[in-house]
Amino acid sequence: MSLLIIVLIVCIPLLFLAWLLPEKWQMFPIAISTAVFLGFVSPASLVILTTSSLITYYILNTHGSKTAATMVAVVLVSSILLIFKLQSELNFNITKNKILPLGISYYSFRQIHYAMETYKRKLPAHSILEYYCYLFFLPTILIGPINLFQPFVKDLRKRRWNSVLFSQGLERILYGMVKINVIGNYLLTYKLNLFCTENAASQVWLTTYLQVFKFTANAYVQFAGYSDVAVGLSILFGFKIIENFNFPFLAKNIADFWKRWHISLSSWCREYVFFPFLSITRNARISIIISMIVLGIWHEISIRYLLWGILHALAINIWHRYESTALHKKLSKYPVFQNVTGVIVTLNFVMLSFVLISENSLSQSFNLLQTLLFLKR
Amino acid sequence: MTYSNINTLFEALQQTTIRNRLFAHINDKKITYGQLQEEMEKLWSIFQKNGLRKGDKVILSTNDDYYTTLFFLAFLRYGIITVFIDPNVPPKRSIAIIEKTGANVFVMDEELFVTRLIDANSTAFYLKIQAATQKKGKLFDRLLKNKKETPAADELVFPAIMGTTIADSHAIDTIEDEDVAYILFTSGTTSDPRGVMISHSNLFAHLHTLKKVYALNENDHLLNILMLYHADGIIQGPLLTAFNQATWIRPFRFDLSNIGDLFNSIYKYRITHFITVPTVLSFMNKFHEGYEDSFQTENFEFIISVASKLELKLWQDFEQKFQTQVVNVYGLTETVAGSLFCGINALPRKVGTVGVPVDCEAKIIKENGEIALANETGVLWLKGAHIFKGYLDNQIDTEAVLVNGWLNTGDIAIKDEDGFFYITGREKNTINTGGINIYPEQVTEMINTHPKIAESICLGLPDENFQEKLVSVIVIRPDEQLEKNDLIDFLRPLLEQSQMPKNFYFFDNLPKGLSGKIKVNAVKELIESTHNTSTQSGTAISNMIIIEAAAEAFGMDKNQIKMSDNSHSLEGWDSMAHLVFITILEDRLKVRFSTAEMMNMNTLTSVEQIINEKLKAVKI
């Protein structure tokens, strides 16, 4: 049974408790169930999350110097994440099967967000229980989004039963499941794959292109589907969490794409990587490259994700440079043409960039790219 | 359904369909109309048993919001006159009020009997209200078999006495329209306080008006966290709620630390109307980050701003930022609560005015006694069924303000050609700070009792958050020295918290006219000169710079950008443009932003805040 189904099943009794218990007790079953769930499926994750959050909360809320406390918390959480990410690439083992502790990429970034917001003095007064409710929130533990602390606490304090919202939540879960199973698993993975296999010999370029499209589209619908389920479940519990996707394939340029694709991660990188580096270097281009590298290796510490991040950074920089050219200004007089061209170019760039991460090795990726770019038959 | 008086109102509230409806949510306590009725009937039983009759005056003074409400409604119902004395009023003034009313019946917090020197045994009737104690867990209660603490049989201690009382709804006197409903002391001097008497007909006439203009019904949830010892708290809170069989929400008392909870309350409690004062709106406007959508709920209708002048800028900023409607109400304690209304859908609307009179007449009388034409200045007079009966035992003052049914408000106003009224000043010497009227003479009188002070005057100066602030200007006796902190310690038992001057200025002498009277305007100039307040209009300047820089950086027209915009609402505000924006600001303002500051600059208002702090630091 997939973890998503387990989460959905666990949520059914939790929903009753989350709405029927006296108000002050409503959140505890969710946090406790999340801990139990983690304990069963990934004990390492439970230990890491419990201890790291306790330490960082203590440091951030008791240390006199917020700057020093933030640095310690960020270094600590990043180091843990880095070590676990590196074990799958380098020759050492922490966990038996080199599998990342469940949800570590998401909750580590949530903890860093919490630390950085403490540094910015942007957090409302809150208790450790509220912090734990935020970190041990079942709907977002599996696959994000990297939801923010302030809106979570706001919802925690103002949540109430709302039948309209509840039905919206159910609807979102349904949409998510349709995206994952009907569009992702059936149409893209099964049907399109079948078409590509049948025509692979006669239509090499077309089927290669469709395979690349399939990977990109499937990545989107699967991830967006999981995000829909997370958003829907959160709504059922009375929380509105950040949307992770906003029709990314309609992006008019690559900068626009990153405002629509994996929004919680791109916003995180903008807030906690781009801005700090920008303030230090005063160089937006370098700050973009660093941000996109972090965004890339967040997925996996590997050469392919590094290259993927750099490629997107270069594309964003090129786009910004192009924006100030006379050609762009001239084309702005024809918005329909510019927008349509922009959407096509951006989508194809994104698809091509995904070739870098869709294949098992870089040489396979380059082979595929050669075919797509008519460099090889 | 509307009710012409208290008799018909409470008869209607006895219907079984209403009894289960929630009347109030106060702090963590929920009270249904049924519970309210039952507790009122128990009180009636206690009143009867102790000889309390229609027309008796009772001093009501407790810190408990529910008990204040319960007793007030019960007194109204049974024709007993409530004399409100804020429990925080210093002993000297409260004793003067008690003496003035001649009341010999007291319902007060237990400790107030001591500070106000009331000997319970010499009163006609008293109820001592005990503060609620922390409840023990029921489990431990059972295990330990704790017996309830019962007061001595002859002690009238509330709420313990309710446990042994049986509800009674018989032999209730019929309340007449001209019976006095309550007395609120708002002005006069400490030694000669002035009590505003409101009759039942005044009250119900105005409740009808409020119901009509706010279009209230039984499904409404009114959020009102104003002080209950002021008309806008008690009348536009529990009473207006009961009149509409609606629900009153008062989850906490306001302070700055729970401003987030105030925003959250709108959704959490399904608020339809939020009754508040401009000072609270000003703080909400300032600490808005992340709460901009708070009023976008399926239930919310509008905000009702009462008690003090709603500045045009705050009004416009607030409506724009929160995308909601603010209604401005002008009224006095002498008019129950309101008189003129502006901003309600059914009425003509002109932001920046106090609107138009509803269910009453309004006229402006010039200095020469003639009625002012459009755009001419004069004193505002009001006439209507809601105008008070008069001041308690004070014929002279009553006749001074009530002439042929017309009330002299003491406020300077103009009416424009469209019939909208503007309040431009004040004839009477009052200061409105955060919605609370302060009478400077009361404070001056107390300050002058200090043996080291030769003379003093209290006056109001403009204040960004509280609209006005009270300051005191003092001349110390020759060869004497007086520290500010010593003076504050001296004044603390004599003044209410809101009466304590925010600043003290010490001078060798004060400018006086030929008659020897202190010249208020000259004193204000004196303060100005010591201040060296060369603040110009700093906010306006920085706003202009910010919008210009944003327009340049984000490639937009200045007119398209509002101070309420943020990095999500402005399409051109991307990572590259952010650097350009910051660089422009740094160049123009000759400052350099730190990492933390740059990270916080994601809304134009946060940019404004950071710039203001930065510039302030540079000046220092």
Side-chain angles (χ1 to χ4, degrees):
Chain A
M1 202 186 308
S2 81
L3 284 177
L4 182 66
I5 301 297
I6 297 173
V7 168
L8 285 170
I9 292 169
V10 172
C11 281
I12 294 169
L14 273 185
L15 279 167
F16 284 96
L17 295 173
W19 290 115
L20 296 177
L21 281 176
E23 199 180 307
K24 61 181 173 180
W25 303 111
Q26 287 179 353
M27 283 309 292
F28 296 124
I30 307 173
I32 293 165
S33 307
T34 310
V36 173
F37 170 78
L38 276 183
F40 270 108
V41 299
S42 179
S45 197
L46 177 64
V47 173
I48 295 164
L49 180 55
T50 311
T51 49
S52 64
S53 53
L54 198 63
I55 295 167
T56 51
Y57 183 88
Y58 178 77
I59 295 169
L60 289 164
N61 288 284
T62 54
H63 201 283
S65 162
K66 290 285 174 231
T67 312
T70 306
M71 282 176 75
V72 171
V74 170
V75 167
L76 176 75
V77 174
S78 313
S79 306
I80 296 170
L81 177 64
L82 211 60
I83 289 166
F84 280 97
K85 289 235 172 210
L86 280 172
Q87 71 159 343
S88 51
E89 289 300 306
L90 304 175
N91 194 23
F92 71 95
N93 282 359
I94 298 172
T95 48
K96 275 183 198 166
N97 47 12
K98 288 191 174 183
I99 292 173
L100 266 185
L102 187 74
I104 190 169
S105 302
Y106 295 98
Y107 63 68
S108 298
F109 270 34
R110 280 188 205 112
Q111 289 183 77
I112 295 173
H113 147 72
Y114 177 83
M116 295 298 276
E117 292 301 301
T118 307
Y119 168 67
K120 287 159 70 179
R121 292 178 169 77
K122 287 282 177 183
L123 294 185
H126 60 277
S127 66
I128 191 166
L129 289 176
E130 287 175 314
Y131 181 53
Y132 267 83
C133 287
Y134 164 65
L135 289 176
F136 287 81
F137 187 54
L138 194 56
T140 59
I141 202 83
L142 269 189
I143 198 158
I146 305 161
N147 59 318
L148 307 179
F149 182 70
Q150 294 95 324
F152 183 87
V153 170
K154 186 175 141 188
D155 283 344
L156 185 67
R157 292 173 186 179
K158 74 175 202 184
R159 63 188 282 279
R160 63 162 164 83
W161 172 253
N162 184 334
S163 55
V164 178
L165 217 56
F166 197 82
S167 86
Q168 280 173 11
L170 290 173
E171 218 170 284
R172 276 303 286 273
I173 294 171
L174 185 67
Y175 289 155
M177 296 308 268
V178 168
K179 276 182 194 166
I180 296 166
N181 295 304
V182 179
I183 306 175
N185 295 346
Y186 180 71
L187 288 177
L188 292 169
T189 309
Y190 175 66
K191 279 286 184 187
L192 191 59
N193 217 20
L194 199 64
F195 175 82
C196 290
T197 315
E198 284 168 359
N199 297 284
S202 57
Q203 301 281 344
V204 178
W205 187 88
L206 179 67
T207 51
T208 309
Y209 184 84
L210 285 176
Q211 286 286 7
V212 173
F213 172 76
K214 187 204 79 181
F215 178 82
T216 311
N218 202 30
Y220 166 60
V221 290
Q222 294 286 345
F223 196 10
Y226 275 98
S227 293
D228 278 346
V229 174
V231 170
L233 274 178
S234 304
I235 292 174
L236 295 187
F237 285 108
F239 292 84
K240 283 187 193 165
I241 59 167
I242 184 172
E243 292 288 346
N244 232 0
F245 294 93
N246 178 24
F247 304 105
F249 294 163
L250 296 180
K252 288 178 248 160
N253 56 64
I254 193 65
D256 186 26
F257 174 80
W258 280 108
K259 286 180 182 170
R260 294 161 173 267
W261 177 276
H262 204 167
I263 298 166
S264 65
L265 177 63
S266 55
S267 309
W268 189 99
C269 287
R270 179 185 148 108
E271 288 292 319
Y272 308 127
V273 184
F274 176 77
F275 285 143
F277 275 95
L278 184 72
S279 72
I280 296 162
T281 63
R282 298 292 164 139
N283 187 322
R285 289 186 179 88
I286 290 173
S287 303
I288 287 171
I289 292 170
I290 294 166
S291 307
M292 293 310 290
I293 288 174
V294 172
L295 191 146
I297 60 172
W298 175 85
H299 294 84
E300 178 186 291
I301 299 184
S302 62
I303 298 293
R304 58 183 186 153
Y305 271 100
L306 183 71
L307 287 176
W308 181 75
I310 292 172
L311 185 64
H312 275 266
L314 291 174
I316 295 168
N317 280 326
I318 291 167
W319 161 253
H320 282 310
R321 182 151 280 203
Y322 166 73
E323 256 188 321
S324 54
T325 62
L327 177 65
H328 177 257
K329 280 181 189 126
K330 207 177 270 181
L331 287 177
S332 298
K333 290 175 188 159
Y334 312 99
V336 177
F337 171 76
Q338 195 180 40
N339 289 345
V340 171
T341 320
V343 169
I344 294 168
V345 171
T346 307
L347 176 60
N348 280 282
F349 168 77
V350 170
M351 282 166 55
L352 287 178
S353 75
F354 272 40
V355 171
L356 283 177
I357 53 174
S358 64
E359 301 305 307
N360 291 329
S361 68
L362 277 177
S363 60
Q364 282 177 319
S365 300
F366 289 131
N367 268 337
L368 214 59
L369 284 171
Q370 281 178 322
T371 307
L372 287 170
L373 299 171
F374 304 102
L375 299 172
K376 193 177 112 181
R377 288 186 66 83
Chain B
M1 184 80 186
T2 55
Y3 311 100
S4 53
N5 56 43
I6 197 78
N7 308 314
T8 53
L9 171 62
F10 275 91
E11 277 161 22
L13 292 180
Q14 276 178 331
Q15 289 169 28
T16 45
T17 50
I18 298 167
R19 290 185 72 84
N20 290 330
R21 189 176 295 164
L22 187 65
F23 159 65
H25 189 147
I26 306 173
N27 302 322
D28 287 331
K29 198 178 168 103
K30 288 181 180 175
I31 304 111
T32 63
Y33 278 95
Q35 287 168 319
L36 175 73
Q37 287 273 356
E38 195 187 327
E39 297 204 322
M40 283 172 60
E41 284 166 10
K42 282 186 178 182
L43 285 180
W44 176 233
S45 184
I46 295 168
F47 297 161
Q48 281 182 305
K49 202 169 145 191
N50 291 280
L52 208 56
R53 293 283 172 265
K54 181 184 153 187
D56 284 344
K57 293 193 199 88
V58 180
I59 305 291
L60 177 60
S61 195
T62 170
N63 269 307
D64 188 294
D65 292 337
Y66 175 57
Y67 297 155
T68 301
T69 303
L70 173 67
F71 279 104
F72 173 55
L73 293 179
F75 293 151
L76 269 186
R77 173 73 182 106
Y78 305 121
I80 296 158
I81 302 167
T82 309
V83 179
F84 289 100
I85 304 182
D86 188 329
N88 300 310
V89 165
K92 196 169 179 178
R93 181 165 164 83
S94 47
I95 291 167
I97 292 173
I98 293 166
E99 279 172 10
K100 175 88 182 178
T101 58
N104 199 19
V105 182
F106 299 86
V107 175
M108 301 197 300
D109 283 341
E110 198 172 19
E111 62 276 11
L112 292 176
F113 281 83
V114 180
T115 57
R116 291 173 182 172
L117 314 172
I118 309 293
D119 176 9
N121 295 324
S122 65
T123 62
F125 169 68
Y126 73 92
L127 267 181
K128 286 182 179 176
I129 297 175
Q130 275 184 342
T133 47
Q134 191 72 35
K135 277 183 191 168
K136 274 185 189 152
K138 281 182 182 169
L139 177 67
F140 284 103
D141 202 31
R142 264 184 228 148
L143 284 173
L144 300 171
K145 294 190 175 160
N146 271 357
K147 282 178 187 170
K148 278 185 183 172
E149 282 178 25
T150 45
D154 57 340
E155 273 269 284
L156 288 168
V157 177
F158 186 88
I161 194 171
M162 298 290 266
T164 54
T165 306
I166 297 162
D168 181 9
S169 59
H170 296 98
I172 299 169
D173 294 317
T174 303
I175 313 301
E176 307 299 332
D177 285 351
E178 287 315 303
D179 290 341
V180 175
Y182 64 89
I183 301 170
L184 255 174
F185 282 81
T186 63
S187 56
T189 58
T190 298
S191 52
D192 185 20
R194 210 158 62 166
V196 174
M197 292 190 295
I198 299 289
S199 70
H200 279 263
S201 67
N202 298 150
L203 186 59
F204 274 77
H206 197 55
L207 288 171
H208 278 284
T209 304
L210 295 176
K211 180 183 175 73
K212 182 173 73 181
V213 290
Y214 301 158
L216 295 172
N217 63 51
E218 69 275 14
N219 299 318
D220 288 330
H221 286 200
L222 279 65
L223 176 66
N224 185 328
I225 53 170
L226 300 176
M227 281 179 287
L228 293 179
Y229 287 81
H230 291 257
D232 291 308
I234 193 80
I235 306 301
Q236 303 215 56
L239 187 57
L240 185 60
T241 302
F243 188 74
N244 291 284
Q245 300 170 7
T247 301
W248 172 43
I249 307 292
R250 188 180 178 83
F252 42 76
R253 287 189 180 186
F254 177 73
D255 70 58
L256 265 186
S257 66
N258 57 25
I259 202 148
D261 294 330
L262 188 56
F263 281 114
N264 291 339
S265 299
I266 304 295
Y267 172 80
K268 187 178 176 73
Y269 300 106
R270 298 178 166 87
I271 300 302
T272 55
H273 301 77
F274 172 33
I275 299 154
T276 190
V277 291
T279 298
V280 173
L281 294 181
S282 168
F283 284 120
M284 292 175 87
N285 196 40
K286 230 177 221 178
F287 302 103
H288 62 88
E289 207 177 321
Y291 293 104
E292 291 82 355
D293 62 348
S294 296
F295 298 96
Q296 311 305 312
T297 70
E298 68 270 31
N299 306 103
F300 194 73
E301 294 193 16
F302 50 80
I303 293 166
I304 299 160
S305 171
V306 297
S308 64
K309 189 175 178 183
L310 178 60
E311 295 295 340
L312 175 66
K313 187 176 180 307
L314 175 62
W315 195 342
Q316 287 172 331
D317 280 359
F318 201 96
E319 289 194 339
Q320 192 185 57
K321 194 174 286 170
F322 296 100
Q323 290 299 300
T324 191
Q325 195 183 342
V326 181
V327 164
N328 193 15
V329 179
Y330 168 83
L332 309 167
T333 309
E334 286 86 344
T335 66
V336 183
S339 285
L340 285 85
F341 300 84
C342 182
I344 299 163
N345 285 337
L347 292 172
R349 174 181 168 89
K350 193 177 264 187
V351 174
T353 74
V354 290
V356 294
V358 177
D359 292 341
C360 66
E361 295 172 69
K363 65 181 180 184
I364 295 169
I365 304 290
K366 292 193 289 188
E367 251 181 77
N368 60 13
E370 290 173 5
I371 292 182
L373 301 172
N375 297 320
E376 283 187 335
T377 304
V379 177
L380 177 67
W381 290 69
L382 298 168
K383 186 180 188 180
H386 65 312
I387 303 293
F388 78 133
K389 269 174 89 85
Y391 296 113
L392 176 69
D393 297 335
N394 195 334
Q395 197 62 26
I396 296 168
D397 282 359
T398 303
E399 283 171 5
V401 297
L402 267 183
V403 181
N404 299 326
W406 284 91
L407 168 72
N408 179 349
T409 65
D411 284 320
I412 309 292
I414 55 169
K415 183 168 82 166
D416 67 14
E417 39 296 296
D418 299 323
F420 287 91
F421 286 76
Y422 295 75
I423 302 296
T424 58
R426 213 173 288 136
E427 190 188 48
K428 60 198 174 185
N429 190 14
T430 57
I431 292 162
N432 191 303
T433 179
I436 299 170
N437 279 331
I438 296 172
Y439 295 83
E441 285 90 353
Q442 283 180 15
V443 185
T444 304
E445 187 188 346
M446 290 297 111
I447 291 174
N448 285 345
T449 60
H450 195 287
K452 290 183 179 174
I453 290 175
E455 62 176 343
S456 74
I457 184 168
C458 286
L459 42 91
L461 293 180
D463 184 80
E464 191 193 341
N465 294 315
F466 293 90
Q467 288 75 53
E468 278 184 290
K469 65 176 177 184
L470 180 75
V471 301
S472 175
V473 186
I474 293 167
V475 176
I476 300 171
R477 287 184 193 281
D479 306 324
E480 294 282 6
Q481 283 195 328
L482 180 61
E483 290 295 321
K484 182 184 150 189
N485 289 343
D486 293 337
L487 179 58
I488 291 173
D489 286 343
F490 172 81
L491 292 173
R492 217 177 287 284
L494 302 175
L495 300 175
E496 290 172 45
Q497 188 56 35
S498 60
Q499 288 179 315
M500 187 65 79
K502 297 288 172 283
N503 298 98
F504 293 90
Y505 297 94
F506 295 91
F507 293 108
D508 293 336
N509 51 56
L510 297 177
K512 295 193 183 78
L514 290 173
S515 62
K517 203 176 166 192
I518 299 167
K519 290 161 82 177
V520 176
N521 287 337
V523 173
K524 283 184 181 174
E525 282 168 20
L526 204 60
I527 295 170
E528 277 287 301
S529 64
T530 59
H531 254 216
N532 188 22
T533 50
S534 58
T535 48
Q536 305 162 26
S537 53
T539 314
I541 291 170
S542 64
N543 283 0
M544 207 171 69
I545 292 172
I546 291 165
I547 288 180
E548 277 175 1
E552 203 176 318
F554 309 145
M556 299 174 75
D557 190 272
K558 270 193 300 189
N559 300 325
Q560 291 175 294
I561 300 171
K562 306 182 293 290
M563 280 308 288
S564 54
D565 278 322
N566 56 49
S567 56
H568 299 293
S569 64
L570 293 177
E571 210 180 320
W573 194 339
D574 59 22
S575 32
M576 192 66 80
H578 188 78
L579 178 64
V580 178
F581 179 45
I582 284 168
T583 314
I584 294 171
L585 289 172
E586 285 182 336
D587 284 348
R588 298 209 177 141
L589 299 165
K590 307 278 177 257
V591 291
R592 192 168 171 87
F593 298 111
S594 68
T595 305
E597 285 166 343
M598 280 178 71
M599 289 173 74
N600 275 324
M601 292 165 89
N602 49 7
T603 68
L604 291 186
T605 39
S606 63
V607 171
E608 181 198 347
Q609 259 172 17
I610 289 165
I611 288 175
N612 286 339
E613 276 164 29
K614 196 106 191 151
L615 293 178
K616 223 184 276 172
V618 169
K619 269 184 198 167
I620 290 163

